[in-house]
Each structure stands twice: as structure tokens, then as C-alpha cells.
Amino acid sequence: MDFKIYGTSKDSNARAGEITTDHGKIPTPIFMPVGTVGSVKGVHMRELREDIDAKIILGNTYHLYLRPGLEILKQAGGLHKFNSWDRPILTDSGGFQVFSLSSNRKLKEEGAYFRSHIDGSKHLFTPEGVIDIERIIGADIMMALDECPPGTSDYAYARKSLDLTHRWLMRGWKRYKETDGLYGYSQAYFPIVQGCTYPDLRRESAKFIADLGADGNAIGGLAVGEPTEKMYEMIEVVNEILPSEKPRYLMGVGTPANILEAIDRGVDMMDCVMPTRNGRNGMLFTSEGIMNMRNKKWADDFTELDPNGTAWVDHEYSKAYLRHLFVSQELLAMQIASVHNLAFYLELVKNARKHIMDGDFASWKKDMVERVTRRL
């Protein structure tokens, strides 16, 4: 994997670059649609490629490990061939899903024991085992197994959790270095900065991870219950230490405003289920603000969904029609909203990149944050 920076903001830490993988190039900053079980919910691969122009999507190690299972994925030749996606894929380590099971998991030095949410069967994720799983899935970028503590964790727990994450990281790094990809292309490995909301722990973790010299680095454990301003503070603390010549990935964030603020602070990659999950529940993010498509006010509004939108659905369907579909509980409503929201997110980071290169990112961002947080 290769990363080049082509432009930086004059009045912020934002930067525009490009990641090169064996499955294609990824312009940064970039938003990555979440394809938990090998699919981005309600969206065809053709739409992701042609209408939304997603450069990279995510797969979830925990879910893919349970279904369809490693044997099927290996027989298929990896996730790219299984789901017919020929562009880059990133897989998380499954750690967040395991740790969110709470009562159904136990953390030990050897790894995370958990019960499947599907059938209750017992499983163990170790740092080494997760590397082996991600090799079989075949993602271009693999994530390290870590513990993601709640944002409200006390210092003692955050300290203990961070130490475990670092020990797991070194075991996973060793397995990564000892193994090769199974399908004839290279796979990068990103460690994850943890440390909850404690600046000293975050700095320690960022230094530990920067010294590893991986192809890229991730910031985890944010947007998990802590105040938004605290999240921004932790991003700033971490990015002062993480190497600027490597891509920085903020995991699981967030709203359009969160994304713009993260880019402003030097983040290159982001992902979140919000565009599709909120879309399926009737929330549209637009260039003029946020719309709840179930509201009565849209019942006789026959204007386009978003006149400035880039997806075909923005101009083919009216607000009144989409509201009708949601009220009627039609599946098409969820598909239209998902396509629109993903296209909006991708256009947002594309425009951010343009304004970084043009030198007016800070003023553009200020205006856009006001727009994208407005309730219509």
C-alpha cells in the first residue's frame, strides 16, 4: 500500500491525498460505506460503483466469520469475488462487535471469548486468529484486534484496557509479518489507537503505534458515549503524534459535521453506518440540511429530493413520493434513502478534497457545518 499527499489546508490540518492498493486508488479524505455482511444494506454493487462511486467499502470480520463462514469465503476466493466488488475493501477486526456483546463475552489474555448472537455457539478471537480470518476474507486493509472501552470508562479500566490492546497488537503484528495474502495481492495492517478520553493514554498509545511503522493507523474508541467536543480533542491529541506521511483512519464516525471536523483535524478515512441506517428510518442528509421524510410537511412537496445531489435518485424522485413510500412501508423507500445518503456523504468528502486543494477549506467547512446540521 502506498500513500501520497497532494495538498494541505493553509488554515487547518486538513490534507488531500491518495492511497494506492492492488484493487485501486482511493482519493482522500474518503468516506467508506459499511458492508457488514458483504453487502451495503439495500444498495446494489452496481449502484455503489456507478451512481455513488464508492472507492472502498468495509466488511465486518465478526459477522463474516459467523456467516457465510470461512470455508465458503475461501472457496469463493475471498470477499472480492464472493460479493463481486473489484475495488478496495477494509475489514475491521470484529473487536467492537465482540465487546458490544457485553454479557456474552469474556476478555482473557489469550483473546476474547464470545457467544454467537445467531445460535449461541462459543468462539474465541485471538490476535493471531483474527489475522488468519482477515487473510481468508482477503481485505486490502486489515485491522488489529483491540478492546474498545466505553467512552465513560474510569482511568483504571482505560489503563488496563490499553495495556491489553497493546499486547494483543504485538501478537497480531507478529502473525501479520509471518503470513502472506492468499489470493495474490498484498494486504495492509492498521493498528488502532485507544486510551478512552484520557490525553496521556491517547498520547502513549499513539506513540506506541507510530513506532510500529505500519502502512496506516487508526483511531478507535471514539463516538462511544463521550461528548462530541471530547472526541474532537482526542483526535487532535492523537494526530499530533501519528505520522503525517501515513493515512489516519477515524473508526465509526459519524454525522456529516463530525466528518468535516475530523478532516479539519487531519483525518483521512472515515466510516459509519449512519447514512444507510438513518436512511432506512426516513432521515435524509442533504446539501441544505436534514429531512425527516415521514413529516407531513413533505406530503405535497413535489420538488427534487436534493437539487444539488449527485445520485440519480435525487432528481428522479420527489419529496412527496419518498414520504409516500415511507408511510406505506415500501422497501423502495429504504433503498432510495440509502443511495441518496451514501452519495451525499461521498460528495461531501469529494468537495472537501477540492477545497483543500483550492486553499479555501476552512471557510467552506464553516459554511457547510452550518448547512448540514440544519433541520428542515
Side-chain angles (χ1 to χ4, degrees):
M1 197 191 83
D2 184 52
F3 179 57
K4 288 185 171 63
I5 296 174
Y6 292 115
T8 57
S9 174
K10 294 182 294 185
D11 38 21
S12 79
N13 289 319
R15 67 255 197 95
E18 186 177 69
I19 298 168
T20 301
T21 75
D22 288 347
H23 280 100
K25 296 180 182 296
I26 307 163
T28 62
I30 193 66
F31 178 80
M32 304 178 285
V34 178
T36 303
V37 295
S39 72
V40 177
K41 282 185 172 57
V43 182
H44 292 289
M45 293 297 175
R46 174 187 54 78
E47 291 171 317
L48 284 169
R49 276 189 294 264
E50 299 176 13
D51 302 319
I52 299 167
D53 195 22
K55 303 299 185 182
I56 177 173
I57 63 173
L58 268 68
N60 183 271
T61 296
Y62 167 85
H63 287 282
L64 291 167
Y65 163 78
L66 293 175
R67 285 190 303 206
L70 302 183
E71 189 56 40
I72 295 295
L73 288 168
K74 197 168 186 178
Q75 287 182 39
L79 184 57
H80 287 92
K81 291 186 177 178
F82 187 60
N83 69 358
S84 301
W85 179 255
D86 58 0
R87 295 182 181 183
I89 294 175
L90 180 149
T91 44
D92 62 16
S93 66
F96 181 80
Q97 284 68 35
V98 168
F99 303 129
S100 67
L101 294 171
S102 63
S103 60
N104 287 329
R105 52 87 170 168
K106 289 184 179 180
L107 303 184
K108 303 284 188 179
E109 187 64 37
E110 59 266 29
Y113 291 87
F114 64 95
R115 287 185 178 272
S116 164
H117 72 285
I118 300 168
D119 59 10
S121 55
K122 295 180 180 180
H123 304 269
L124 169 64
F125 271 2
T126 67
E128 298 87 355
V130 164
I131 291 293
D132 297 341
I133 293 168
E134 292 187 273
R135 289 292 195 193
I136 291 171
I137 295 171
D140 299 87
I141 300 173
M142 309 186 295
M143 305 305 300
L145 181 66
D146 64 332
E147 182 188 358
C148 180
T152 55
S153 298
D154 62 30
Y155 189 89
Y157 186 87
R159 168 84 267 172
K160 180 180 177 182
S161 171
L162 181 62
D163 290 343
L164 180 64
T165 286
H166 286 174
R167 291 194 299 272
W168 281 358
L169 170 60
M170 296 314 295
R171 287 167 52 191
W173 180 250
K174 183 173 183 292
R175 178 61 66 93
Y176 170 70
K177 289 293 191 179
E178 293 171 347
T179 57
D180 295 309
L182 303 178
Y183 310 115
Y185 54 86
S186 61
Q187 295 176 277
Y189 180 66
F190 283 21
I192 303 171
V193 176
Q194 288 289 353
C196 203
T197 57
Y198 301 103
D200 62 322
L201 296 184
R202 285 284 175 178
R203 290 190 183 96
E204 177 185 333
S205 186
K207 177 67 165 57
F208 186 92
I209 279 164
D211 288 346
L212 208 61
D215 288 321
N217 301 295
I219 308 168
L222 294 176
V224 288
E226 80 285 353
T228 301
E229 288 307 315
K230 181 60 70 171
M231 174 177 74
Y232 296 152
E233 179 191 345
M234 293 303 102
I235 295 171
E236 292 172 6
V237 165
V238 166
N239 280 350
E240 287 176 359
I241 297 170
L242 290 181
S244 60
E245 70 275 12
K246 303 290 181 68
R248 301 163 177 158
Y249 165 31
L250 178 61
M251 305 180 74
V253 178
T255 67
N258 292 158
I259 286 171
L260 292 173
E261 297 292 355
I263 293 170
D264 184 66
R265 289 161 172 81
V267 168
D268 306 295
M269 307 164 69
M270 294 135 289
D271 77 285
C272 191
V273 297
M274 190 171 282
T276 47
R277 178 178 289 171
N278 288 32
R280 294 195 302 273
N281 288 295
M283 178 182 284
L284 255 65
F285 300 99
T286 77
S287 59
E288 296 301 321
I290 301 168
M291 297 190 296
N292 180 347
M293 298 314 301
R294 299 181 189 277
N295 284 352
K296 179 71 173 176
K297 68 183 295 183
W298 310 120
D300 59 353
D301 188 332
F302 302 104
T303 61
E304 298 175 356
L305 293 180
D306 187 352
N308 300 315
T310 58
W312 60 275
V313 294
D314 293 327
H315 311 292
E316 185 162 338
Y317 300 115
S318 69
K319 298 179 181 73
Y321 180 63
L322 183 55
R323 179 187 183 273
H324 158 69
L325 293 180
F326 270 112
V327 171
S328 304
Q329 299 184 352
E330 284 290 321
L331 295 177
L332 181 59
M334 295 186 281
Q335 184 176 9
I336 291 172
S338 295
V339 170
H340 161 79
N341 279 350
L342 286 173
F344 171 75
Y345 268 60
L346 266 294
E347 187 69 12
L348 185 68
V349 295
K350 182 179 179 181
N351 285 334
R353 177 185 171 85
K354 177 183 182 299
H355 286 281
I356 293 168
M357 298 295 287
D358 289 347
D360 62 347
F361 172 79
S363 59
W364 171 83
K365 187 213 83 171
K366 182 179 179 181
D367 176 64
M368 285 304 300
V369 168
E370 191 279 325
R371 286 173 177 266
V372 299
T373 53
R374 187 188 300 159
R375 293 276 176 169
L376 302 179

